[in-house]
Amino acid sequence: MRGALGMGNRTSDDGMARRLLDSSAQLSYDPLTEVDWDTPLDTDFHGASPEWSTLYGTAYWNELTDAQRKALTRQEAASVAGTGIWFEMILQQMVLRDIYAKDPTDDTVQWALTEIADECRHSIMFARGAKKLGAPAYRPHRVALELGRLFKTVAFGEAAYAAILVAEEVLDVMQRDWMRDERVVPFVRTINNIHVVEESRHMKFAREETRRRLARAGRLRRRVHALLIAVAAYVIVTSMVNRKVYANAGLDEARALREAKANEHHKSMMRASCSGLMEFLASVGLLTGPALHFYKRAHLV
């Protein structure tokens, strides 16, 4: 893309955009018809793979009944969906702002519109899924919401694309586990499968745009954007599971928060899920010392 986010050479950009458009035409989904919205929620299933629960492996988890564990993972899955909606709204605004007044016959602009359409459908899909899981509309805390408002206004070029990549890659790894896990309620598995398939195209484009923008970035811009991306990653990851999920699952919120914060198993799951992402960021020079500080605080490295 060109403009505020930055577009590279038109021929190479359009070549990738055309391939992504062709892929989208061949393999895309309509969540309204693909997801089973009508069958009542079966509470014998988890909402997410239990190993991804923030309490899995803790003393508190060992005390929970099977029904309590399932109730918790359903609330946690709904919270992750809420965070996904929040960041997809940020993404849509950044991309739409970038292509404003651009040539709509350009394949790259048409791919941008396709990506926005994908994200819009995903947001609706996540919202309906969270509601079916019996959860409230989980939102990030106020500070995160305001930081998101600032980020979508100031981010451009590699900062915007790499932040998109961070958010989507973290979700991608956990959702690949959930969509294959027969312990997870079937409609959530379908939602995860749709998101994984369609986001793979978004992530490919984000990686290529990040590399292209950085090819022309000076040392100062690279270091500033490396820090901005890391802060965005920290806010996104620490907003994934709302503290209210524990009370809404019938647990002691204060104790659950303490044990979740100290849960080394969950931290190791997050680090493992981000190993490929961290390798990519290092390969393009975005894993600076100050950036590493925030990735470590978010338990991504």
Side-chain angles (χ1 to χ4, degrees):
M1 299 181 191
R2 306 180 187 86
L5 297 184
M7 293 186 180
N9 175 267
R10 175 165 183 152
T11 301
S12 60
D13 278 3
D14 281 4
M16 171 173 283
R18 174 42 53 191
R19 291 191 295 274
L20 292 172
L21 284 167
D22 291 343
S23 174
S24 180
Q26 294 169 14
L27 187 60
S28 289
Y29 299 94
D30 180 356
L32 294 178
T33 57
E34 295 287 344
V35 181
D36 179 6
W37 300 114
D38 298 325
T39 301
L41 174 66
D42 187 340
T43 56
D44 286 336
F45 286 92
H46 283 276
S49 296
E51 292 79 8
W52 277 100
S53 173
T54 54
L55 289 183
Y56 184 88
T58 65
Y60 201 0
W61 177 268
N62 294 334
E63 295 174 17
L64 299 179
T65 65
D66 187 54
Q68 287 176 314
R69 292 172 179 176
K70 289 171 179 174
L72 174 60
T73 61
R74 290 195 296 270
Q75 293 296 318
E76 289 177 318
S79 180
V80 170
T83 303
I85 294 169
W86 166 61
F87 196 77
E88 286 181 340
M89 287 184 175
I90 292 174
L91 183 158
Q92 290 174 59
Q93 292 179 72
M94 289 193 299
V95 175
L96 191 58
R97 185 183 69 233
D98 179 57
I99 63 172
Y100 177 72
K102 298 297 190 300
D103 179 359
T105 67
D106 188 307
D107 283 344
T108 306
V109 173
Q110 290 184 22
W111 165 250
L113 292 170
T114 300
E115 183 167 341
I116 292 168
D118 287 347
E119 299 297 5
C120 186
R121 289 196 308 275
H122 295 168
S123 294
I124 296 170
M125 176 176 72
F126 284 155
R128 293 190 66 174
K131 185 175 182 178
K132 185 166 181 174
L133 284 168
Y138 290 114
R139 304 293 290 162
H141 55 76
R142 188 67 186 179
V143 173
L145 288 173
E146 294 307 318
L147 287 173
R149 195 187 307 277
L150 175 65
F151 179 78
K152 70 181 177 60
T153 303
V154 303
F156 68 92
E158 63 274 6
Y161 279 107
I164 290 169
L165 187 62
V166 167
E168 299 298 356
E169 290 235 10
V170 172
L171 281 174
D172 182 72
V173 174
M174 65 175 66
Q175 288 183 330
R176 285 179 185 273
D177 284 349
W178 302 358
M179 75 184 194
R180 301 185 184 105
D181 193 338
E182 294 185 356
R183 297 169 297 175
V184 175
V185 65
F187 83 89
V188 169
R189 295 178 63 192
T190 303
I191 287 173
N192 291 328
N193 182 68
I194 291 171
H195 196 248
V196 164
V197 169
E198 297 186 347
E199 289 297 335
S200 66
R201 293 187 285 263
H202 302 181
M203 291 189 293
K204 181 177 181 180
F205 194 71
R207 281 177 179 257
E208 291 306 310
E209 284 300 300
T210 299
R211 289 192 186 97
R212 189 173 292 119
R213 299 286 67 77
L214 283 169
R216 298 196 301 269
R219 182 174 180 273
L220 177 61
R221 171 172 150 177
R222 188 183 299 265
R223 292 185 67 82
V224 169
H225 280 189
L227 181 58
L228 183 60
I229 294 159
V231 171
Y234 174 81
V235 174
I236 293 164
V237 170
T238 57
S239 298
M240 279 191 171
V241 178
N242 190 293
R243 62 183 294 155
K244 296 302 180 185
V245 301
Y246 306 113
N248 290 336
L251 308 186
D252 179 333
E253 182 179 319
R255 181 186 174 187
L257 281 169
R258 287 195 304 272
E259 297 208 21
K261 186 176 181 179
N263 188 354
E264 292 301 325
H265 169 80
H266 191 260
K267 293 174 186 178
S268 69
M269 293 284 283
M270 292 300 294
R271 285 193 293 269
S273 73
C274 291
S275 60
L277 172 63
M278 292 301 123
E279 287 177 8
F280 171 76
L281 294 176
S283 72
V284 295
L286 291 176
L287 216 53
T288 62
L292 271 170
H293 170 74
F294 284 95
Y295 291 126
K296 289 177 180 177
R297 285 191 63 186
H299 309 297
L300 301 184
V301 292

